[in-house]
Amino acid sequence: MDKIEIEGGTRLKGNVKISGAKNAALPVMAASILGSGESTILNVPLLRDITTMGKLLGHLGMGYHLEDDEAILQSENITSIEAPYDFVKTMRASVLVLGPLLARTGEAKVSLPGGCAIGARPINLHIMGLQKMGAKILLSDGYIHAKAKKLHGATIYFDMPTVTGTENLMMTATLAEGETLLENAACEPEIVDLANALVSMGANIEGAGTSIIKIKGVSGLRPLRYRIIPDRIETGTFLTAAAITEGDVTIDNCNPGHAESFISKLKETGVQIRHNSSTINVRGPLQLKSEDIKTMPHPGFPTDMQAQFMALMTIADGTSLITENIFENRFMHVAELKRMGADIKIEGATATVKGVDFLKGAPVMATDLRASASLILAGLAAKGTTVIDRVYHLDRGYEKIEAKFEQLGAKIKRIKV
Ligand code: EPZ
């Protein structure tokens, strides 16, 4: 397992280019199942999760290869309707093939995603929606076996907004007979991106990005050629890196409109941010002010930025209350940050972060994708050397991350173990 070593104390300076959004590319890759032919997806990030999705689509009988940042997919022949546990256990987003497979072939057999470090993450809402559209669902031997001679439109209310649940059911509804209403749907920018990709295939979708999405079924969809939006979480991660190192960084190829809640919060801590439609300049202040956050579904503060914001608050002036409302166990980075001298107490879903003068470098361990990012940020700001173990978590969601930080002047290197 590779490690990453960081010599802290350098102020980041210069330009960094944001990659395509992992959480937009994954559902759009799954959507290619719906249209028979050759699909091309542009601005795809080179990440382990993308490779895993490509291998899974290959297992279903599709052709898949990457040419630079373009994913080319052939979906003429679907020869299997099964997504085995081996794929799903390495990437929960494999569940995104469930709806498209069912809509395309009338059957799908997908392994139930196991537990996950950050929470139970059930998929009961995905299953509820498919049943409302007429699917017969059998849960046995750790698999969801869905069958539907004919899918019909339905009104589906989500008890809580679910990103991949909204995506799975929106994809399924494009080929169901009649009209489907998704209510209390997730509003993330990745949902809008998927809807735009589906519409480019001939789907009839209105309201994506709001909590009510209307889908009118059509008889068939053509292959897609679609460019993925920039990654708003990677954008937020680099904004925080500049803030925590008193840096002066320009972020290119991003979409500030997708990171509004995070940019507003950062400004409240004293970070200077100016932006146009695709570039952000960020300058870290001499002294950061503590601010509170509560993670919420979009457009609220994103749970995927909670760990990074916490790293920033460890050296702010004052006390910050950080409440995680989306996942029940997304504070695993706290113990690691405390090893570096952070003063953090957890009570239920709220972490109380008392700012300290500085962090000290230490050996720490990554536990999940975004926690790994928060440890890099802490290491960049800490005095001394930080060595992060189990960085495979990082490689799932950040393309060439140490090269991007190195380009900004960070003293960071990967240790091949
Ligand atoms: C997506 O996960 C993202 N993954 C996650 O990003 C992100 O953290 C999450 O949305 C929240 O924004 C992808 O898009 C591939 P949810 P998802 O369904 O769809 C509960 C990352 O770092 N729930 O929106 O799995 C669930 O337990 C990853 O890139 C049910 O109860 O999340 C959670 O508490 C981590 N039943 C809440 O809803 C269901 O059927 C939100 O989960 C579905 C969800």
Side-chain angles (χ1 to χ4, degrees):
M1 285 186 243
D2 292 359
K3 299 183 181 205
I4 281 188
E5 183 180 291
I6 301 169
E7 200 56 48
T10 307
R11 299 172 64 176
L12 301 187
K13 292 199 182 318
N15 289 52
V16 63
K17 181 175 172 296
I18 296 300
S19 303
K22 163 177 87 79
N23 290 351
L26 291 171
V28 172
M29 288 172 79
S32 66
I33 294 171
L34 295 165
S36 175
E38 178 168 290
S39 290
T40 304
I41 307 173
L42 312 166
N43 198 31
V44 172
L46 194 58
L47 301 171
R48 232 161 54 142
D49 277 7
I50 299 296
T51 309
T52 304
M53 180 62 87
K55 284 184 184 151
L56 172 54
L57 296 177
H59 174 84
L60 300 177
M62 290 176 57
Y64 162 78
H65 69 279
L66 265 180
E67 287 170 16
D68 295 332
D69 69 349
E70 293 190 11
I72 320 291
L73 298 140
Q74 270 86 20
S75 57
E76 289 84 350
N77 309 307
I78 302 288
T79 54
S80 165
I81 54 99
E82 183 169 332
Y85 179 57
D86 286 354
F87 288 100
V88 180
K89 74 180 176 191
T90 59
M91 184 184 67
R92 305 176 49 75
S94 307
V95 74
L96 284 167
V97 305
L98 177 60
L101 260 184
L102 185 64
R104 169 85 185 264
T105 69
E107 189 174 1
K109 192 176 174 196
V110 175
S111 164
L112 270 167
C116 166
I118 63 178
R121 300 179 76 180
I123 56 168
N124 58 307
L125 299 175
H126 301 232
I127 292 169
M128 173 274 293
L130 294 177
Q131 286 172 322
K132 283 191 176 243
M133 286 200 260
K136 294 282 170 282
I137 305 270
L138 180 67
L139 296 179
S140 69
D141 312 324
Y143 276 80
I144 306 159
H145 197 165
K147 284 187 180 175
K149 282 197 183 54
K150 179 175 281 307
L151 288 163
H152 54 74
T155 295
I156 297 163
Y157 176 80
F158 291 112
D159 297 342
M160 60 193 310
T162 157
V163 173
T164 48
T166 301
E167 292 166 345
N168 230 336
L169 297 171
M170 182 163 72
M171 289 190 277
T172 310
T174 59
L175 295 181
E177 196 170 270
E179 183 174 284
T180 296
L181 268 184
L182 301 181
E183 297 181 339
N184 199 23
C187 306
E188 274 69 4
E190 292 76 25
I191 307 271
V192 178
D193 214 28
L194 174 61
N196 291 337
L198 290 166
V199 167
S200 78
M201 299 169 79
N204 184 330
I205 301 173
E206 289 168 20
T210 75
S211 55
I212 297 188
I213 304 176
K214 188 193 298 184
I215 304 109
K216 286 197 181 113
V218 294
S219 55
L221 294 178
R222 48 184 178 267
L224 61 91
R225 179 176 174 80
Y226 191 75
R227 181 175 184 79
I228 298 297
I229 53 172
D231 193 314
R232 62 192 168 97
I233 305 301
E234 186 188 21
T235 302
T237 304
F238 279 100
L239 283 170
T240 315
I244 204 170
T245 58
E246 288 176 52
D248 180 350
V249 171
T250 297
I251 298 175
D252 298 315
N253 287 64
C254 64
N255 185 329
H258 291 164
E260 262 165 16
S261 63
F262 189 70
I263 288 173
S264 309
K265 259 306 158 188
L266 269 189
K267 284 179 176 173
E268 286 172 24
T269 67
V271 179
Q272 292 168 41
I273 297 178
R274 286 175 300 112
H275 64 80
N276 60 27
S277 60
S278 63
T279 300
I280 304 175
N281 175 261
V282 48
R283 296 183 185 190
L286 212 53
Q287 181 57 51
L288 289 155
K289 260 174 23 29
S290 293
E291 284 297 331
D292 299 346
I293 58 162
K294 292 181 178 2
T295 65
M296 297 298 280
H298 193 78
F301 190 95
T303 173
D304 291 349
M305 282 303 305
Q306 178 256 106
Q308 297 91 313
F309 191 79
M310 184 184 290
L312 185 67
M313 290 296 100
T314 61
I315 55 169
D317 184 19
T319 298
S320 161
L321 298 181
I322 294 180
T323 304
E324 172 57 55
N325 291 315
I326 306 295
F327 291 112
E328 61 269 31
N329 184 30
R330 204 168 195 178
F331 281 147
M332 286 172 296
H333 41 288
V334 169
E336 303 305 312
L337 291 170
K338 288 172 78 169
R339 288 174 48 75
M340 300 175 73
D343 179 348
I344 309 171
K345 283 187 184 52
I346 298 176
E347 279 160 69
T350 298
T352 302
V353 184
K354 277 201 178 65
V356 294
D357 292 341
F358 55 86
L359 296 175
K360 295 181 291 301
V364 291
M365 189 174 79
T367 50
D368 65 273
L369 169 53
R370 305 307 174 181
S372 339
S374 77
L375 298 178
I376 287 194
L377 300 177
L380 290 169
K383 292 180 189 301
T385 306
T386 300
V387 179
I388 304 170
D389 198 355
R390 300 194 179 180
V391 292
Y392 59 83
H393 290 291
L394 208 61
D395 297 334
R396 295 191 46 189
Y398 289 93
E399 184 178 27
K400 305 188 189 91
I401 191 153
E402 67 266 24
K404 290 186 176 182
F405 275 119
E406 224 168 2
Q407 187 188 324
L408 293 172
K411 295 194 181 74
I412 182 171
K413 65 182 179 198
R414 182 179 287 254
I415 305 165
K416 289 274 178 204
V417 179

